[in-house]
């Protein structure tokens, strides 16, 4: 959530900043509502003061034996006016809150301008896309030849956009997760195991609600429970409503969870294979930081995710997202896009985002200022380090061989019982 003081005092600057994201904010309409709120607040306070004063007068008149009925009637009339003013004030406050809840984060000054993903800025490349002397197969064909991917059976037992993994492919997927967790823990992250179900307050805190409710899986009973779309939600909310002592910062967490997304706005996109699933797994990185540490944490998180792709011997590029492509809560985002031979293009495998104090304000997450002792808003950062399903796709495609086998990157072999290749299963 944006700073309410900034919205009150300079809504036009907010409108200008949000326009860089392609978001239209009605600054004049917001200012008019705010003026109406101020007037109602003043009226309510004035009526309350007058009512209190007259109530005291009634007490004095009663003690003096005077007739208090006229005074009581006047106070009753003030009470009705006060109730009406409070009701109107509550309505205006709800309208302002609805507007505030729907406003995305302000972009960093260094974020590129642009309308959509075509305007994102490529920062750098790492590695060379592999060349093949045979016809390249996509990950679905590779996985099926290994008898390791089965979308048809998953569709039978559940529906579209689900996949069953088995055999060597399932083991490779598990190896990727274990390797990533161990790597991040070794670099200073604390591993956490969190609930896969959260309440609406937590989803509001990280910005998924109210705007993105259609992309969530909501439980029927109890109806305030949702399946998590990412570990970002439960892990970031670990500091919700808390005041963290500055010497503990930054807090660095890594969590492996399944992620559940309805993909409401992706009809017809990536319907084949594991690129866009309703259920997938990620190893998520979360930093809870002092504002002075924020940029350094962002760079370190990006380096951590990059090192995973380097260890997996996967060519990738780093992309600085423009205003038209950046997420709702983010002020700045770098995507890692891995090379997929079957598509002859780079596809997103990780997004590393700094939300500044946007989520912290919604969550009430603060630290205690070392100099003043006063609570200040934390900065929160999140990023996948990396998405396990897409890493599996990339390994299957980039390390495929002509005979249908798949080479196992050296970093994963200790997690694969020492084998260096996954061979097609002979039926």
């Amino acid at each position: 959530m944006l700073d309410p003081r900034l919205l009150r005092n300079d809504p036009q600057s907010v409108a200008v900043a949000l326009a860089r994201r392609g978001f239209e904010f009605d600054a004049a309409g917001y200012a008019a509502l705010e003026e109406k709120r101020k007037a109602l607040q003043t009226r309510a306070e004035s009526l309350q003061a007058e009512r209190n004063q007259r109530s005291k007068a009634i007490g004095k008149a009663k003690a003096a034996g005077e007739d208090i009925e006229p005074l009581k009637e006047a106070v009753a009339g003030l009470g009705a006016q006060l109730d009406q003013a409070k009701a109107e004030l509550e309505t205006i406050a709800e309208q302002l809150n609805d507007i505030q809840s729907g406003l995305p984060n302000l972009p960093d000054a260094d974020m590129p301008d642009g309308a959509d993903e075509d305007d994102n800025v490529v920062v750098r490349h790492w590695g060379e896309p592999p060349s093949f002397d045979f016809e390249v197969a996509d990950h679905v064909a590779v996985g099926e030849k290994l008898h390791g991917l089965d979308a048809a059976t998953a569709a039978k037992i559940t529906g579209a956009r689900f996949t069953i993994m088995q055999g060597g492919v399932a083991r490779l997927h598990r190896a990727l997760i274990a390797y990533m967790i161990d790597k991040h823990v070794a670099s200073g992250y604390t591993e956490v195991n969190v609930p896969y179900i959260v309440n609406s307050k937590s989803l509001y805190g990280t910005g998924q609600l109210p705007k993105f409710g259609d992309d969530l899986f909501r439980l029927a009973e109890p109806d305030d429970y949702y399946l998590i779309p990412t570990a970002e939600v439960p892990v970031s909310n670990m500091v919700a409503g808390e005041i963290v002592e500055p010497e503990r910062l930054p807090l660095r967490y890594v969590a492996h969870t399944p992620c559940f997304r309805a993909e409401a706005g992706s009809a017809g996109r990536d319907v084949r294979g594991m690129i866009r699933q309703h259920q997938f797994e990620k190893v998520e990185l979360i930093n809870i930081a002092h504002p002075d540490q924020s940029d350094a944490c962002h760079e370190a998180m990006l380096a951590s995710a990059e090192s995973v792709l380097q260890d997996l011997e996967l060519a990738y590029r780093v992309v600085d997202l423009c205003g038209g492509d950046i997420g709702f809560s983010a002020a700045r985002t770098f995507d890692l896009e891995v090379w997929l031979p079957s598509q002859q293009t780079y596809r997103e495998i990780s997004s590393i985002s700094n939300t500044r104090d946007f989520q912290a304000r919604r969550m009430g997450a603060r630290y205690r200022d070392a100099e003043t002792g006063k609570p200040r808003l934390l900065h929160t950062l999140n990023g996948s380090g990396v998405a396990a399903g897409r890493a599996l796709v990339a390994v299957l495609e980039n390390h495929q061989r002509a005979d249908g086998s798949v080479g196992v990157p050296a970093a994963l072999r200790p997690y694969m019982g020492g084998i260096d290749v996954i061979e097609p299963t002979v039926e």
Side-chain angles (χ1 to χ4, degrees), residues 107-356:
D108 279 3
D110 293 332
M111 181 206 71
D113 289 324
D116 54 36
E117 61 183 16
D118 293 333
D119 296 318
N120 292 338
V121 175
V122 177
V123 178
R124 60 180 172 272
H125 289 79
W126 186 93
E128 291 293 330
S131 58
F132 299 90
D133 57 4
F134 58 90
E135 185 176 352
V136 171
D138 70 3
H139 69 280
V140 177
V142 174
E144 288 176 346
K145 192 166 186 178
L146 295 171
H147 298 286
L149 293 180
D150 185 353
T153 302
K156 178 182 70 175
I157 62 178
T158 306
R161 293 189 188 266
F162 291 90
T163 302
I164 291 173
M165 291 176 280
Q166 55 189 348
V169 173
R171 188 177 188 182
L172 179 61
H173 184 259
R174 176 163 52 90
L176 281 162
I177 292 164
Y179 148 75
M180 286 189 275
I181 292 174
D182 285 350
K183 182 178 181 66
H184 295 312
V185 168
S187 68
Y189 281 83
T190 298
E191 182 179 358
V192 291
N193 188 295
V194 291
Y196 303 159
I197 296 173
V198 291
N199 56 36
S200 58
K201 184 177 180 181
S202 295
L203 288 159
Y204 176 84
T206 46
Q208 281 79 17
L209 286 178
K211 189 174 179 61
F212 302 104
D214 289 344
D215 283 324
L216 301 170
F217 283 107
R218 185 174 187 172
L219 275 62
E221 293 291 341
D223 63 4
D224 191 44
Y225 279 8
Y226 296 78
L227 298 177
I228 61 169
T230 166
E232 170 196 343
V233 180
V235 178
S236 298
N237 274 280
M238 287 169 60
V239 295
E242 302 289 332
I243 299 176
V244 181
E245 295 305 322
E247 59 269 17
R248 294 180 58 205
L249 299 172
L251 301 173
R252 304 170 73 209
Y253 297 117
V254 58
H256 159 238
T257 67
C259 305
F260 305 92
R261 298 185 186 176
E263 297 289 356
S266 65
R269 295 177 60 195
D270 297 310
V271 294
R272 177 175 167 83
M274 297 181 63
I275 296 293
R276 197 175 299 276
Q277 300 267 279
H278 289 310
Q279 174 185 310
F280 59 95
E281 296 181 48
K282 277 201 305 177
V283 173
E284 187 79 359
L285 304 177
I286 298 293
N287 276 209
I288 311 294
H290 186 287
D292 292 345
Q293 303 165 333
S294 189
D295 288 330
C297 284
H298 200 187
E299 293 176 8
M301 291 175 70
L302 179 60
S304 293
E306 284 190 71
S307 70
V308 170
L309 300 184
Q310 292 170 13
D311 285 355
L312 297 178
E313 305 163 38
L314 298 171
Y316 67 88
R317 66 183 185 182
V318 180
V319 178
D320 193 354
L321 297 197
C322 72
D325 198 33
I326 199 169
F328 179 80
S329 296
R332 186 84 181 274
T333 296
F334 292 99
D335 270 8
L336 296 183
E337 296 181 347
V338 69
W339 178 258
L340 292 186
S342 68
Q343 299 183 17
Q344 288 291 292
T345 191
Y346 291 92
R347 295 298 303 269
E348 179 207 333
I349 194 170
S350 173
S351 285
I352 313 291
S353 298
N354 192 337
T355 76
R356 303 296 182 187

Side-chain angles (χ1 to χ4, degrees), residues 40-53 77-86:
L40 284 168
Q41 181 76 40
T42 299
R43 174 167 171 74
E45 290 172 354
S46 176
L47 287 168
Q48 183 67 62
E50 186 176 356
R51 186 186 186 190
N52 292 344
Q53 186 178 26
L78 283 173
Q81 294 179 57
L82 178 59
D83 288 344
Q84 182 179 353
K86 286 182 175 179

